[in-house]
Amino acid sequence: CIGALNTPPDQACARTFARVLNDALLGDAGAGDFLMPHGTLSDILPDPALSWLQQRGAQVRLRCVGRAARAGSQGDWLVETDTGTLSASRMILAVPPYQVARLLDQTLPDAQRAPLEAFEYEPIATVWLGWRSLLRLPAITMLDEDIAAGQHGQWLFARTAPNDGPVRSLAGVVVSAAGRTGSQAGPLAQAVAAQVAAQLGCPLPDHARAIVDKRATIRCSPGRPRIDADSLAPHCPGIFLAGDWVWHAYPATIESAVRSGLAAADHCIRSLTGRN
């Protein structure tokens, strides 16, 4: 429950948890397969998508911050950015809900903006561990989490250490719902370092650092807002939503993000072609 929903069990949505278990354990033969990429997530998802779009003439602007979106005079939408104004007849906002509220601050009525600002969030921490000695770390291993004993590390991933530094062995450890530990980044890193050394039977790391994303996912609680891809259409015709928080059947995961993106694209195409 903690790993999939990133939400403490006493606050988590049982219906969503049951859906995850049903699809993973009772689906087809490959539904529960654990897939490990040989490269980075950028190699698998964003980079091929960007290449596909650019080959078809799409304009891609990276690191171009959108400041505000407003309706234009020609029935289009204008997005103010740091480098100018973009115009489009349709727009898919694939950003967190609080960013949707910010972009449409001058456009959405209070009643429609309130649910976007009502989401609660859970953090995820990545603890980076480094050893000066060369170790035979497992490529990936599931750690034995024991909250009562202060052991919060869940998954360890061995990484390639940089060639130009003192670290010869490197690993990243994922800590879901990191906020429930009540620990600051420093103590959390030291606790995970001790956990890894004890459970893998290796020396204590020479370096340990925790990086915490305080709003990594929405809190997957029963009362979380339910907002659909085309829910803004009555007030903002031509705007659609995508993101892991839009696909209600699943928690905030890559799976829900992809499915919501496909749904938003379908809504957008239907609005252009006039199909129901």
Side-chain angles (χ1 to χ4, degrees):
C1 178
I2 293 172
L5 276 62
N6 194 37
T7 303
D10 61 331
Q11 302 176 27
C13 176
R15 185 184 300 275
T16 305
F17 187 38
R19 177 64 179 269
V20 171
L21 294 178
N22 181 77
D23 289 359
L25 303 181
L26 303 178
D28 59 40
D33 287 352
F34 193 96
L35 304 179
M36 271 296 295
H38 289 293
T40 67
L41 289 179
S42 293
D43 297 332
I44 294 172
L45 295 172
D47 290 349
L50 290 175
S51 176
W52 188 93
L53 289 168
Q54 290 169 331
Q55 289 172 9
R56 287 156 179 80
Q59 295 183 31
V60 178
R61 302 189 186 188
L62 302 178
R63 298 176 180 84
C64 179
V65 179
R67 298 298 179 186
R70 55 184 173 83
S73 59
Q74 306 298 320
D76 56 351
W77 285 95
L78 305 176
V79 181
E80 305 294 340
T81 76
D82 290 342
T83 58
T85 302
L86 304 178
S87 173
S89 63
R90 302 292 189 276
M91 184 164 58
I92 296 176
L93 297 180
V95 296
Y98 56 88
Q99 295 286 16
V100 176
R102 179 184 63 81
L103 287 167
L104 299 176
D105 180 58
Q106 303 301 317
T107 303
L108 276 182
D110 290 345
Q112 277 65 50
R113 192 169 60 252
L116 295 167
E117 298 173 333
F119 283 92
E120 297 179 292
Y121 299 88
E122 290 288 349
I124 291 178
T126 302
V127 178
W128 290 101
L129 305 175
W131 292 262
R132 295 191 181 96
S133 56
L134 187 61
L135 305 179
R136 294 179 61 87
L137 296 172
I140 176 175
T141 189
M142 186 185 211
L143 299 173
D144 184 12
E145 182 184 22
D146 186 346
I147 296 176
Q151 298 179 333
H152 300 288
Q154 295 171 309
W155 292 94
L156 179 142
F157 299 86
R159 307 299 294 174
T160 301
N163 295 324
D164 57 351
V167 172
R168 301 193 65 193
S169 301
L170 182 67
V173 178
V174 176
V175 183
S176 298
R180 73 186 189 285
T181 67
S183 298
Q184 298 298 317
L188 177 62
Q190 296 304 316
V192 170
Q195 176 188 1
V196 169
Q199 294 186 10
L200 298 189
C202 64
L204 274 170
D206 299 294
H207 305 278
R209 180 187 179 192
I211 299 176
V212 181
D213 183 348
K214 294 183 179 180
R215 292 196 287 192
T217 69
I218 63 168
R219 180 175 297 161
C220 192
S221 59
R224 67 189 184 280
R226 303 295 205 276
I227 300 175
D228 297 320
D230 59 351
S231 62
L232 300 187
H235 306 279
C236 303
I239 287 186
F240 306 93
L241 301 175
D244 55 18
W245 53 280
V246 179
W247 193 262
H248 310 146
Y250 278 5
T253 57
I254 292 177
E255 290 84 353
S256 55
V258 170
R259 293 187 184 206
S260 79
L262 293 172
D266 183 65
H267 283 291
C268 184
I269 292 171
R270 289 175 182 272
S271 75
L272 288 167
T273 61
R275 293 186 291 121
N276 295 323

